[in-house]
Amino acid sequence: MSTATIHLHDQTWQVRSGMTVRDAIIKLDLDPQTVLAVRNKKLINEETLLEAGDEIRLVNVISGG
């Protein structure tokens, strides 16, 4: 099985490649509205398909007024 790696703070998960970023975030029991995904130092959208060997870093969304 091909996998991608997802990092958030000090946590790391392996997920199946071929799914969307959004599906992976939900599978990890995270709220997709609270994180942004970054691959190769570039922001990617939640419909991006994960590829084998991807290293995805999730960063918390911070909003204010």
Side-chain angles (χ1 to χ4, degrees), residues 22-34:
R22 179 180 176 80
D23 288 342
I25 291 169
I26 291 169
K27 180 180 174 86
L28 298 175
D29 203 26
L30 300 171
D31 183 349
Q33 294 184 1
T34 63

Side-chain angles (χ1 to χ4, degrees), residues 2-42:
S2 299
T3 62
T5 304
I6 297 180
H7 306 276
L8 176 63
H9 305 297
D10 60 348
Q11 297 178 294
T12 301
W13 300 273
Q14 296 291 318
V15 296
R16 179 179 48 83
S17 58
M19 69 172 61
T20 65
V21 170
R22 179 180 176 80
D23 288 342
I25 291 169
I26 291 169
K27 180 180 174 86
L28 298 175
D29 203 26
L30 300 171
D31 183 349
Q33 294 184 1
T34 63
V35 293
L36 297 172
V38 177
R39 177 173 61 191
N40 299 326
K41 298 183 181 180
K42 294 184 180 177

